[in-house]
DNA sequence: GTCTATAGATCGATAGAC
DNA sequence: GTCTATCGATCTATAGAC
């Protein structure tokens, strides 16, 4: 947002692009499609963005920067490992609910980044996953968690949180808060009674 | 396979197409790309397939037919609800390990099916999810499972199983069997000690 | 059944008037 | 900063020789 609260043309383009990329994919969306949603001709958009690639780049790295920052904050909180994992799951779901199309693009269309940026993006995600897995491993070592394989637990959590992007719509019977609670219960306590 | 054990040209085309669709997406893969992998010119492929759409159609519906058939078989087995869910999770992982590219395409590129076929595919998936959720709800009602929201549990399970497609490679430190065991433990027992 | 050649549509991006 | 017009590349699919 600008100081007067009105989004810039560039922000509108990025936002409409993310919605279209989510629905039709990066390659399946044309600059003309985006322009149609924004309300200008495709050629005019080049006064606000450099290329189609750059739109994708902005979306993907904005999201990955948020993830990295969130992980760092949680790592420094004085909480048990179980509580840290809970916070991270909540943050994942909240980001998805608030920024659905962008998260979706960063999850699926990142692979269309040009080679050097793709490498950067993949490394950022690897760092994030490594930090997350370390929290799980530490929880296992501390006796808080069951003797799970940290990698399996990590990807199970990260994936289990992804379906929210396909499913959650604000007017649903479940609120975002209830959704968080249910997913956390399922992942931390499991399906079966013991 | 044909009777002499040699795959037909059509099968080779479908197989190479699925691998490319998985990596570059349906729209991001050209008929020339597929032809290059198969070892013929793009024009020659039209003697074996009707169109690019038809390749996608064959892949998606072959997978959805398998899912529907597997669910029906499991529903009729004389097992507890917990055991039925376990079998379904195992079948999911096995299909993904054995038929990775096709499952990946059915999961991500189905949206590029032409409208009428997209409707059919979506309805088939809805039937599958409904049947799966009913097993979870029955397990809750029978007191086998915790009081989870069946929809949340359903999508958590289905998604948790999807990362295997991104991660599993035959030469990994974890075998397919061990992977199944770990994921099932995580989903049925949860991460946290109780 | 495989090839070369190409039709016809659409793509990202630019030039240049206003 | 927005438009019209268009370039050059690339796409799916077909025609027709062999």
């Amino acid at each position: 947002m600008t100081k007067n609260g009105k989004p810039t043309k560039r922000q509108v383009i990025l936002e409409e692009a993310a919605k279209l990329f989510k629905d039709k994919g990066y390659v399946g969306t044309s600059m003309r499609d985006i322009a149609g949603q924004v309300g200008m001709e495709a050629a005019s958009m080049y006064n606000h963005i450099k290329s189609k690639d750059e739109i994708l780049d902005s979306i993907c790295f904005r999201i990955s920067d948020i993830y990295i920052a969130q992980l760092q904050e949680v790592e420094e909180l004085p909480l048990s490992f179980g509580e840290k994992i809970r916070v991270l799951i909540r943050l994942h779901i909240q980001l998805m609910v608030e920024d659905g199309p962008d998260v979706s693009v960063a999850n699926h269309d990142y692979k269309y980044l040009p080679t050097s940026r793709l490498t950067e993006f993949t490394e950022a995600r690897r760092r994030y996953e490594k930090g997350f897995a370390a929290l799980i491993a530490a929880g296992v070592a501390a006796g808080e968690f069951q003797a799970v394989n940290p990698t399996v637990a990590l990807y199970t959590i990260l994936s289990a949180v992804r379906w929210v992007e396909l499913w959650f719509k604000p007017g649903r019977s479940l609120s975002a808060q209830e959704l968080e609670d249910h997913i956390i219960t399922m992942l931390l306590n499991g399906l079966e009674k013991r």
Side-chain angles (χ1 to χ4, degrees), chain A:
Chain A
M1 292 284 195
T2 51
K3 273 169 282 183
N4 64 20
K6 217 180 64 182
T8 64
K9 285 268 168 68
R10 176 170 225 276
Q11 288 169 329
V12 175
I13 291 170
L14 294 181
E15 191 181 323
E16 295 302 324
K19 284 194 248 176
L20 287 168
F21 292 169
K22 175 180 173 172
D23 287 344
K24 319 204 302 173
Y26 175 72
V27 189
T29 302
S30 70
M31 293 300 281
R32 288 164 180 84
D33 290 335
I34 302 170
Q37 287 298 310
V38 173
M40 56 169 61
E41 292 303 313
S44 307
M45 291 198 298
Y46 288 86
N47 285 308
H48 307 281
I49 51 101
K50 233 189 70 201
S51 65
K52 193 186 176 191
D53 277 352
E54 195 228 357
I55 296 178
L56 180 64
D57 193 281
S58 289
I59 295 171
C60 289
F61 281 91
R62 191 178 72 81
I63 295 299
S64 84
D65 287 349
I66 293 176
Y67 276 132
I68 297 281
Q70 284 182 347
L71 175 63
Q72 201 163 344
E73 283 171 32
V74 170
E75 283 173 336
E76 291 165 0
L77 289 175
L79 297 173
S80 71
F81 295 112
E83 282 161 341
K84 284 184 182 178
I85 300 296
R86 271 172 235 265
V87 172
L88 280 173
I89 294 175
R90 270 188 211 287
L91 289 172
H92 262 265
I93 297 173
Q94 279 164 20
L95 189 60
M96 217 163 267
V97 167
E98 288 161 16
D99 240 336
D102 292 71
V103 174
S104 195
V105 171
N107 277 341
H108 294 115
D109 288 335
Y110 71 91
K111 61 182 162 194
Y112 301 112
L113 288 168
T115 319
S116 83
R117 293 293 277 168
L118 175 57
T119 305
E120 267 185 71
F121 183 85
T122 304
E123 276 167 8
R125 198 177 53 185
R126 223 192 102 270
R127 277 203 312 279
Y128 180 80
E129 292 173 354
K130 208 167 169 176
F132 202 136
L135 289 179
I136 296 173
V140 172
E144 262 188 68
F145 300 155
Q146 308 201 57
V148 296
N149 178 313
T151 303
V152 172
L154 167 71
Y155 287 117
T156 302
I157 291 172
L158 292 185
S159 304
V161 141
R162 276 205 193 183
W163 63 267
V164 175
E165 106 196 356
L166 302 168
W167 184 83
F168 186 79
K169 288 174 190 66
R172 213 92 186 199
S173 62
L174 242 56
S175 73
Q177 169 74 51
E178 289 169 325
L179 190 59
E180 291 171 25
D181 295 341
H182 277 104
I183 293 177
I184 287 174
T185 300
M186 174 78 194
L187 289 171
L188 281 270
N189 293 344
L191 177 61
E192 225 162 26
K193 277 190 182 169
R194 277 187 283 163

